[in-house]
Amino acid sequence: MNNSLETEHVQCLIIGSGPAGYTAAIYAARADLKPVLYTGMEAGGQLTQTTDVDNFPGYPNGVMGPEMMEDFRKQAERFGTDIRFGYVSSVDFSSTPHRVVVDEIKTITADTVIISTGATAKWLGLPSEQKYNGFGVSACAVCDGFFFKGQDIAIVGAGDTAAEEATYLAKLCKKVYMLVRRDEFRASKAMVHRVLNTPNIEVIYNSEATEVLGNGKNVTGIKVLNNQTGAEQELAVEGFFVAIGHQPNTAIFKDWLDMDETGYLKTIPGSTKTNVEGVFACGDVQDHYYRQAVTAAGSGCMAALDAERYLAAKEAV
Ligand SMILES: Cc1cc2nc3c(=O)[nH]c(=O)nc-3n(C[C@H](O)[C@H](O)[C@H](O)COP(=O)(O)OP(=O)(O)OC[C@H]3O[C@@H](n4cnc5c(N)ncnc54)[C@H](O)[C@@H]3O)c2cc1C
């Protein structure tokens, strides 16, 4: 913990600027909590990495991800949220008010802290995967599967999420190639059973995608290596889904907050309360199951209401 002399006190500190953080800010600002929000390194969150968002209510013609997050920001600002670029480098939740260090130099004390630091999708790390991200490459079947209706796609991954996403995509797409790195799945037996009994999913074991092929605009195929024989083949697909997991952004909270085995923050069911009083968590950082902008926004609203009621109850004592 940095002991910088530059200390500021706030009623409500929001960490993160995705749909959860900005929605929390809108509600907290309108409740006069005078929230301060730190954007982190990815101002606007995960949706700034994508192109079309077609499933967020209120945009009948769809919207580009970065544009939608700009709308969120403007709405949070309109009610007086103090939005600042900076990242939270450490926290100390041992006493109240809670202490938070920003950019390793500035200490803030806060009556309430709303954590909305999200989760980061894991990628294979291929340059071509990055090039076509949002143009045929995706890390979210529920978000982007619809764009590939009736087409052929490939998905990489072998866990429960990959199996679930493959069966979801199989309902929309003509053909789903599922690339599994080893000669078996990591998913539960029930999920593997579902995959193997879906006629339009073809599982290719011992396989690794080595390149995403495209025409400069969109994905047209992938190169696949058999890691046992060294043989390479090309699959003609219009979409490539990477389902190898997400990393919740929670490293700085590990000494203070309860987490599950993969690092997602635990909240008291039906609320956004963590195990520390006055600290709330919302959005993907506490939700590995739904992982949608609208659910993140919904829980951001809950976090602001939980914070407001916590402060009101403290005042009443
Ligand atoms: C490519 C892609 C396409 C998607 N498409 C859709 C879609 O079409 N529809 C849909 O509903 N969902 C979609 N999603 C999922 C959606 O983006 C997420 O569910 C949503 O963004 C989660 O919101 P969040 O606010 O919880 O976190 P995030 O959006 O992940 O935001 C986290 C924020 O926390 C900040 N942060 C992290 N660490 C710190 C720190 N130490 N200090 C300060 N700030 C920090 C980051 O800078 C970021 O601003 C997509 C995701 C991806 C990756």
Side-chain angles (χ1 to χ4, degrees):
M1 176 61 62
N2 186 292
N3 290 321
S4 161
L5 293 176
E6 195 192 346
T7 302
E8 175 188 3
H9 182 75
V10 302
Q11 271 189 88
C12 178
L13 182 75
I14 300 172
I15 312 176
S17 57
Y22 278 145
T23 305
I26 293 165
Y27 277 79
R30 296 185 84 246
D32 208 24
L33 301 189
K34 301 183 173 53
V36 170
L37 179 149
Y38 278 94
T39 62
M41 304 312 278
E42 190 175 48
Q46 290 174 64
L47 282 182
T48 58
Q49 297 170 24
T50 195
T51 49
D52 302 272
V53 177
D54 258 358
N55 54 9
F56 198 85
Y59 291 99
N61 301 315
V63 60
M64 299 301 270
E67 190 186 327
M68 180 169 129
M69 293 319 299
E70 190 55 16
D71 287 347
F72 269 75
R73 186 189 63 75
K74 285 184 193 153
Q75 194 171 354
E77 230 164 28
R78 182 176 144 221
F79 298 110
T81 307
D82 183 348
I83 298 169
R84 303 175 186 173
F85 185 76
Y87 74 98
V88 170
S89 41
S90 63
V91 299
D92 179 346
F93 294 154
S94 60
S95 59
T96 52
H98 302 298
R99 294 172 78 80
V100 170
V101 176
V102 178
D103 294 335
E104 292 173 16
I105 49 164
K106 181 179 170 74
T107 301
I108 294 188
T109 56
D111 296 326
T112 58
V113 177
I114 294 178
I115 299 169
S116 49
T117 49
T120 306
K122 291 183 188 163
W123 298 97
L124 297 174
L126 307 170
S128 52
E129 168 194 56
Q130 214 182 339
K131 178 175 175 189
Y132 288 106
N133 192 350
F135 298 92
V137 173
S138 171
C140 177
V142 174
C143 312
D144 296 328
F146 186 82
F147 298 122
F148 301 95
K149 219 171 171 184
Q151 301 178 359
D152 292 351
I153 64 99
I155 181 167
V156 57
D160 277 326
T161 304
E164 184 148 341
E165 299 214 337
T167 50
Y168 178 88
L169 290 165
K171 289 190 200 129
L172 298 166
C173 302
K174 187 149 66 83
K175 169 100 186 182
V176 174
Y177 295 101
M178 185 164 191
L179 310 185
V180 173
R181 194 149 55 97
R182 294 189 298 161
D183 59 358
E184 58 179 6
F185 279 84
R186 277 187 299 104
S188 62
K189 269 193 181 154
M191 285 309 299
V192 176
H193 183 77
R194 266 176 67 187
V195 168
L196 299 181
N197 284 285
T198 305
N200 60 338
I201 300 180
E202 179 181 334
V203 180
I204 309 179
Y205 293 101
N206 299 314
S207 62
E208 291 172 34
T210 52
E211 192 180 344
V212 181
L213 306 170
N215 57 14
K217 277 186 169 172
N218 299 302
V219 170
T220 55
I222 51 166
K223 268 191 193 165
V224 180
L225 171 78
N226 182 310
N227 56 28
Q228 296 296 300
T229 64
E232 237 182 4
Q233 63 170 320
E234 282 186 19
L235 299 175
V237 293
E238 276 116 334
F240 180 57
F241 287 81
V242 180
I244 56 174
H246 283 75
Q247 182 64 51
N249 303 317
T250 55
I252 51 173
F253 308 114
K254 72 174 176 1
D255 292 337
W256 310 102
L257 299 181
D258 290 346
M259 298 178 186
D260 71 10
E261 61 288 351
T262 42
Y264 282 90
L265 297 184
K266 283 189 180 173
T267 49
I268 295 171
S271 81
T272 61
K273 293 174 191 166
T274 67
N275 55 304
V276 174
E277 269 203 19
V279 178
F280 306 91
C282 53
D284 284 13
V285 73
Q286 50 85 58
D287 171 19
H288 60 85
Y289 189 72
Y290 295 107
R291 289 192 274 112
Q292 291 296 291
V294 69
T295 48
S299 71
C301 158
M302 289 167 65
L305 294 179
D306 284 343
E308 194 271 323
R309 286 168 195 171
Y310 165 80
L311 290 172
K314 265 186 89 171
E315 242 172 58
V317 176

